[in-house]
Amino acid sequence: MKLHQLLADIDIKTPMQSDIGDIPVHEVTDNSADVKEGYVFVAIGGYSSDGHDFIEASIQQGASLIIGEKDIDNLPVPYIQVPNSRKVLGMLARKLYSEPAKEKLIIGITGTNGKTTTSYMLKHLLESSGKSCSVIGTIENIINGEKIPSRNTTPSSLILHKLLAMSTDEVVIMEVSSHGLSQCRIEGVTFDYCLFTNLHQEHLDYHGSMENYFQAKKLLFEKLAPGGTAVVNTDNPWGEKLADHLQHEEKNVYRIGASVSSNLRIADINLQNSTATVEERGESSAVFTPMNGIHNMYNMIMAFGTAALIGVSKENLLPALFQFKGVEGRFEIYKLANGAAVIVDYAHTPDAVAHCLATAKQQGAGRIVHVFGFRGDRDPGKRQEIMSVTASMSNQYILTLDDLNSVSFSEMETTLTWLNNTYGNEKGRIIPDRTKAIQTAIEESQPEDWIIITGKGHEQYQQSYKLPARSDKEIVQYLSSPENV
Ligand SMILES: CC(=O)N[C@H]1[C@@H](OP(=O)(O)OP(=O)(O)OC[C@H]2O[C@@H](n3ccc(=O)[nH]c3=O)[C@H](O)[C@@H]2O)O[C@H](CO)[C@@H](O)[C@@H]1O[C@H](C)C(=O)N[C@@H](C)C(=O)N[C@H](CCC(=O)O)C(=O)O
Ligand SMILES: Nc1ncnc2c1ncn2[C@@H]1O[C@H](COP(=O)(O)OP(=O)(O)OP(=O)(O)O)[C@@H](O)[C@H]1O
């Protein structure tokens, strides 16, 4: 592709030299380490480093053109200054990969909790009706049935367009995080369906306020294709606000909720047998979820409603619901030999923890023992609320380590002690080694106990611990095997 084709429609701050339009461009990158002969290097001012500092290195490696935001003179290769390099990266990637989203049905799912679960539920329902689906999200990316590790919930725009170009699936279901939205990672993609699950306290270290966080989530809905539909859980107040706003903008909005004005009305939920009745234009349908909890029922109803909008008949959906296998690290249940249950769950927001503990109670937990920690460098504002939730809803809790990130062990230990003394109660204790904390909970368990381990879900441990396991699931399996009991 020639440079002038690549840059058409792109907002450029300074006039482009007239003689560079014919430069051929084969690849673009924002990482100097990836630059090869003839690449375009896009310099991005990041959170831990500044791509503009790597312009010289990228030229030495063969970059033939640099795009950036800063005033820069006298480079040995042409330089194009733009107002927003992150946005330009997405626009270039879209062109270089020949608009890979164009022929597919693209579905974006945003919200604080439930994106991953809803994605897998929707994938399952669509695949059961014969549609092939890619998934781009937190656990992994699944493209043409192949699993590809994911670093971010929403990848950089460059990776995103590469994944879209690789996919030969008919549908792409994508989790869209608020970080991804505010960092223009979905630039160049338009969506046929945008789903909003809910909004609760999270990421306030990054967004500053709930209103800003909401505004970031709202950006997804600006990417709805003409004729596309927003599917919104209006039982969440932020969802109601979003639906009203989108309707005011004359977008297609499909409301899901208990209100009689909902397009898909949730008439009844029975948590004992995990069923719900939903109604649309006077017609009732049954919904079932094999995953416990009202939160998972909402996720399933969102997936069900979306699959029906896409054209799968509601009658065909019901048998498929019974076949759903659940999602790794989301309310995964293990039974111990003594009858106690162990749950591994990815809850890491106050709302998610509350749902998880409440679900254990609804399912008949005699005593709840909650094992959890707090991630270093991540939204300290939510810790107090999580402590209060666990202090009131569990019978005992053990504070332990989660990923430390850049925080030292001793600093985290001090934080845990302070949190326990300030917001906990006499039900709590601290066992820093996560594997030992889980071992203690299991060894002390009684037959009616439910041990709820939250925070890591499907993820591998970042720290090394005493017992030989790399994840919550592995340690539970290790400790439940007869030779280690
Ligand atoms: C704080 C944050 O969000 N950072 C994201 C951001 O990184 P950044 O652009 O600031 O990168 P940076 O390291 O400062 O580098 C700046 C630029 O210099 C370039 N560089 C850097 C070094 C070098 O030698 N050469 C070079 O060219 C880099 O390639 C980059 O273009 O953009 C990157 C590409 O899109 C992301 O991978 C990265 O996510 C980091 C890893 C991260 O942990 N982000 C979390 C907070 C996040 O985004 N989470 C959400 C999910 C949240 C949820 O659970 O709900 C997600 O979508 O994953
Ligand atoms: N609809 C929901 N409402 C509240 N909590 C939920 C909901 N769905 C899931 N959860 C809780 O949140 C946890 C994470 O769920 P899931 O991975 O589906 O959400 P997510 O939005 O993808 O999260 P993340 O952005 O952190 O990856 C679950 O383990 C569960 O505890």
Side-chain angles (χ1 to χ4, degrees), residues 194-270:
C194 291
L195 277 60
F196 179 88
T197 59
N198 50 60
L199 197 76
H200 295 281
Q201 183 183 343
E202 172 74 319
H203 302 316
L204 296 190
D205 52 339
Y206 183 80
H207 296 291
S209 68
M210 283 301 286
E211 182 59 33
N212 292 348
Y213 180 30
F214 173 69
Q215 291 302 330
K217 292 286 190 197
K218 215 172 82 182
L219 293 172
L220 172 62
F221 298 83
E222 290 176 11
K223 300 282 181 192
L224 260 179
T229 302
V231 181
V232 183
N233 167 17
T234 47
D235 283 350
N236 178 272
W238 294 97
E240 178 77 40
K241 180 172 164 165
L242 175 70
D244 289 347
H245 164 82
L246 295 172
Q247 246 158 358
H248 185 70
E249 298 221 308
E250 300 187 349
K251 301 232 160 96
N252 296 328
V253 181
Y254 187 79
R255 291 168 178 256
I256 296 184
S259 154
V260 283
S261 61
S262 310
N263 300 86
L264 188 68
R265 185 172 95 82
I266 305 173
D268 176 53
I269 292 181
N270 181 340

Side-chain angles (χ1 to χ4, degrees), residues 30-33 41 44 46-51 54 86 115 151-156 177 179-180 183 185 203 348 378:
D30 65 321
N31 188 347
S32 58
F41 175 67
I44 288 176
Y47 294 89
S48 51
S49 50
D50 186 347
F54 301 98
R86 287 191 195 268
K115 299 182 292 296
R151 178 189 186 210
N152 285 106
T153 294
T154 307
S156 80
S177 67
H179 292 80
Q183 292 169 23
R185 294 186 207 156
H203 302 316
H348 52 268
R378 295 283 187 275

Side-chain angles (χ1 to χ4, degrees), residues 233 235 256-258 265-278 287-289 291-301 362:
N233 167 17
D235 283 350
I256 296 184
R265 185 172 95 82
I266 305 173
D268 176 53
I269 292 181
N270 181 340
L271 290 178
Q272 289 318 310
N273 60 12
S274 292
T275 58
T277 307
V278 293
V287 177
F288 168 79
T289 170
M291 290 181 75
N292 291 315
I294 193 163
H295 55 299
N296 284 318
M297 181 54 83
Y298 267 84
N299 296 335
M300 191 55 102
I301 293 172
Q362 279 146 14

Side-chain angles (χ1 to χ4, degrees), residues 341 343-350 352-358 360 367-374 385-400 427-431 434 437-438 441 449-456:
I343 306 297
V344 173
D345 190 81
Y346 196 46
H348 52 268
T349 67
V353 170
H355 272 101
C356 190
L357 300 183
R367 253 166 32 103
I368 292 178
V369 181
H370 185 200
V371 183
F372 68 109
F374 294 105
E385 187 64 22
I386 291 180
M387 287 300 299
S388 306
V389 167
T390 200
S392 70
M393 294 181 75
S394 66
N395 299 84
Q396 253 187 41
Y397 65 85
I398 303 178
L399 274 168
T400 189
K427 297 174 192 169
R429 69 190 131 150
I430 300 171
I431 303 178
R434 196 169 176 100
I438 294 169
D449 287 359
W450 282 48
I451 299 164
I452 317 287
I453 307 165
T454 62
K456 289 291 291 170

Side-chain angles (χ1 to χ4, degrees), residues 101-118:
K102 206 169 62 183
E103 307 297 331
K104 301 179 194 310
L105 191 84
I106 307 283
I107 303 169
I109 305 182
T110 200
T112 306
N113 297 313
K115 299 182 292 296
T116 304
T117 309
T118 307

